[in-house]
Amino acid sequence: MNQAWSDVYTKALALIAEVEPEVAAATRQELADQRESLKLIASENYASLPVLAAMGTWFSDKYAEGNPGHRFYAGCQNVDRVETLAAEHAKALFGADHAYVQPHSGIDANLVAYWSILSHRIESPTLERLQVKNVNELSEGDWEELRLTFAKQRVMGMSLDVGGHLTHGFRPNISGKMFHQRSYGTDPHTQLIDYGKLRADAKEFKPLIITAGYSAYPRRINFAAMREIADEVGATLFVDMAHFAGLVAGKVFTGDEDPVPFAHVVATTTHKSLRGPRGGMVLASGEYAAAVDRGCPLVLGGPLGHVIAAKAVALAEARQDSFRTYAQAIADNAKALAEGLLRRGVKLVTGGTDNHIVLLDVSSFSITGRQAESALLDSGIVTNRNSVPNDPNGAWYTSGVRIGTPALTTRGLGTAEFDQIAGLIADVLAGTTPVATANGASKAKYAIADGLADRTKAAAAELLNGFPLYPGLSL
Ligand code: DSN
């Protein structure tokens, strides 16, 4: 990196500080914090400076509701260029029939996906049957009947308890209020998805949609098997690949593990393992494309042209050969981390990993996930607590810690460093104890052995010294 980048950011922060110095100070501090800690949150990454730079532009000031070439505002020719480019990159990268790059987040992308399926499977056939062109032409009675039909639809998603996501039909999320939901789980012994049970449950439940994807499952999914089950029961297969999009883009997940050839609709975020700007995206097979393209204004506000421009940059990066090397390193590092933890006596859900996630079960240390997360944070290691299957501590305190390798792999750490990190984590877990209270051991308060947090922080800093974040960028 040359001096110019430092000058750009120094000047940008000085400009911000003229109006609100606190924002400039917090921004500098965020970089310092991200540089100094071992960032192991499975859903985070470090976007490149070109991706970050693409977000800070005047595209932010442009309204562009609609789609390229068909907008509800004048003067959208440049937004059209970047949106078309982002979609073309996405299609080429993932081998998709169609890409819709407007969703602002993963939840938005999933909502677009769900409504495209409802639209294609329920709304369009109803309009055809009644021989009307759009919903505005429906009589009050027919409209009421269509709304009630929407409300009767069913979705199956992976249980939250074994790593599924709230947006896969769970009650706190809008998807759980839209659909009747049934979860599928994992085998109690192997902790792997039980496809046989999933098939039997799907035959009984007859869902409109089967959702595949996870936020805390440390294994790959067989999407060919998922599609077979979906076809057997007449369901649409929807894959939420938010977590592992980078591994699909980087051709680590191929064949039956690549969701794109098997799913009818695929949604993703762009900022996790894919390493782009914060945002979402939907890929669709041809028959769902028109419905997906109606995301705005159906459920989305005006497209964020500046973020779409950054998606185009990130997707162009992901098409480079170096991204394949990066994606493979994510998986290799996760394996090294898992092996390092197992060797040091740490229990892992499913006994290991073959993606970017390692899910620790910390119950054998007699602490909760919350205590482990806090003790690790005190020691310069940023993770997040997560429940494990049948977690006795529930979703707040939990018995697990989720760890992911995409961010530190971006910094260049390899398998040897991830083995060292396994050692640091195991030491902190072993040196953390719950504080005794009148009602037994606290689930939140903890104590760390004298000096351990400081020693670990120093070791983490030393490790990171060799792998600077945005090298040459000094602020
Ligand atoms: N927040 C994302 C994650 O951490 O997995 C998913 O919602």
Side-chain angles (χ1 to χ4, degrees):
M1 179 178 309
N2 58 36
Q3 179 60 33
W5 272 108
S6 293
D7 293 346
V8 167
Y9 275 94
T10 302
K11 284 181 182 150
L13 288 173
L15 207 58
I16 293 166
E18 281 175 23
V19 182
E20 181 43 284
E22 277 290 305
V23 170
T27 307
R28 279 176 201 276
Q29 190 57 47
E30 182 59 27
L31 177 60
D33 291 352
Q34 292 205 24
R35 277 180 159 158
E36 282 162 19
S37 54
L38 288 171
K39 171 149 125 160
L40 288 166
I41 291 185
S43 46
E44 294 186 3
N45 211 325
Y46 303 103
S48 71
L49 290 178
V51 168
L52 295 180
M55 274 189 282
T57 77
W58 25 96
F59 273 127
S60 170
D61 299 323
K62 185 77 196 97
Y63 255 118
E65 263 125 333
N67 299 98
H70 189 262
R71 305 282 187 185
F72 292 87
Y73 289 81
C76 296
Q77 61 281 2
N78 298 309
V79 183
D80 282 0
R81 275 170 73 183
V82 294
E83 184 171 342
T84 304
L85 193 58
E88 289 304 321
H89 279 315
K91 285 190 320 189
L93 178 64
F94 292 107
D97 289 352
H98 185 72
Y100 181 66
V101 296
Q102 291 190 17
H104 308 156
S105 71
I107 287 190
D108 289 3
N110 288 359
L111 259 182
V112 170
Y114 287 133
W115 275 107
S116 73
I117 297 166
L118 287 172
S119 174
H120 179 70
R121 300 274 315 267
I122 309 294
E123 186 174 272
S124 295
T126 304
L127 299 183
E128 249 171 61
R129 180 170 52 82
L130 297 171
Q131 297 186 331
V132 296
K133 282 206 280 303
N134 64 53
V135 286
N136 290 329
E137 293 178 14
L138 290 174
S139 68
E140 279 306 308
D142 287 336
W143 173 234
E144 188 57 13
E145 195 184 314
L146 178 59
R147 288 190 336 104
L148 292 174
T149 310
F150 282 145
K152 287 183 191 139
Q153 302 309 314
R154 298 169 182 190
V155 68
M156 281 185 81
M158 188 180 212
S159 164
L160 277 182
D161 197 37
V162 300
H165 194 255
L166 273 181
T167 55
H168 299 175
F170 293 92
R171 289 181 187 184
N173 178 257
I174 184 78
S175 58
K177 304 180 204 298
M178 284 162 59
F179 295 110
H180 296 281
Q181 199 266 9
R182 184 182 284 190
S183 298
Y184 56 87
T186 51
D187 179 277
H189 301 294
T190 63
Q191 299 182 316
L192 301 174
I193 292 176
D194 183 342
Y195 294 96
K197 172 113 181 33
L198 168 53
R199 173 178 272 110
D201 284 354
K203 278 185 174 163
E204 188 189 287
F205 189 59
K206 298 190 176 48
L208 179 78
I209 304 172
I210 294 180
T211 299
Y214 50 77
S215 62
Y217 178 68
R219 297 290 175 175
R220 302 180 186 191
I221 293 178
N222 183 337
F223 295 108
M226 283 283 192
R227 175 61 187 259
E228 214 177 274
I229 296 169
D231 285 347
E232 267 180 54
V233 302
T236 296
L237 179 60
F238 164 52
V239 174
D240 175 355
M241 66 169 181
H243 257 267
F244 51 90
L247 298 174
V248 179
K251 309 295 174 221
V252 176
F253 290 4
T254 56
D256 293 352
E257 294 164 355
D258 177 353
V260 181
F262 297 103
H264 298 91
V265 183
V266 177
T268 185
T269 51
T270 45
H271 51 274
K272 297 187 175 90
S273 54
L274 193 52
R275 208 166 57 181
R278 292 197 84 86
M281 183 166 74
V282 180
L283 308 175
S285 56
E287 55 190 333
Y288 288 85
V292 162
D293 274 351
R294 290 199 292 272
C296 167
L298 183 75
V299 292
L300 299 175
L304 307 176
H306 56 308
V307 180
I308 292 173
K311 287 174 189 170
V313 175
L315 289 162
E317 286 178 350
R319 291 184 66 188
Q320 294 170 6
D321 287 346
S322 56
F323 196 85
R324 292 192 184 198
T325 311
Y326 165 64
Q328 187 57 53
I330 291 177
D332 293 345
N333 286 340
K335 213 164 263 311
L337 178 68
E339 282 164 9
L341 288 165
L342 289 169
R343 211 172 56 246
R344 292 169 174 93
V346 181
K347 193 171 154 199
L348 304 181
V349 173
T350 78
T353 179
D354 50 30
N355 56 19
H356 62 297
I357 294 174
V358 180
L359 187 56
L360 283 61
D361 179 342
V362 298
S363 53
S364 61
F365 294 95
S366 304
I367 54 176
T368 62
R370 181 169 159 168
Q371 288 163 326
E373 173 195 87
S374 301
L376 289 167
L377 185 64
D378 293 345
S379 310
I381 302 174
V382 189
T383 63
N384 68 283
R385 65 187 185 280
N386 207 99
S387 44
V388 300
N390 303 312
D391 201 316
N393 286 323
W396 180 249
Y397 292 110
T398 82
S399 303
V401 173
R402 185 186 69 162
I403 294 183
T405 54
L408 290 183
T409 303
T410 293
R411 282 184 80 156
L413 279 74
T415 52
E417 289 78 26
F418 273 92
D419 185 61
Q420 284 183 55
I421 292 172
L424 297 179
I425 292 172
D427 288 348
V428 172
L429 297 179
T432 302
T433 43
V435 167
T437 69
N439 304 320
S442 171
K443 288 187 174 189
K445 294 193 177 132
Y446 60 96
I448 310 181
D450 265 359
L452 176 59
D454 286 343
R455 276 199 308 281
T456 309
K457 238 184 194 165
E462 198 184 318
L463 188 61
L464 288 172
N465 266 341
F467 303 92
L469 175 60
Y470 306 126
L473 179 66
S474 58
L475 296 177

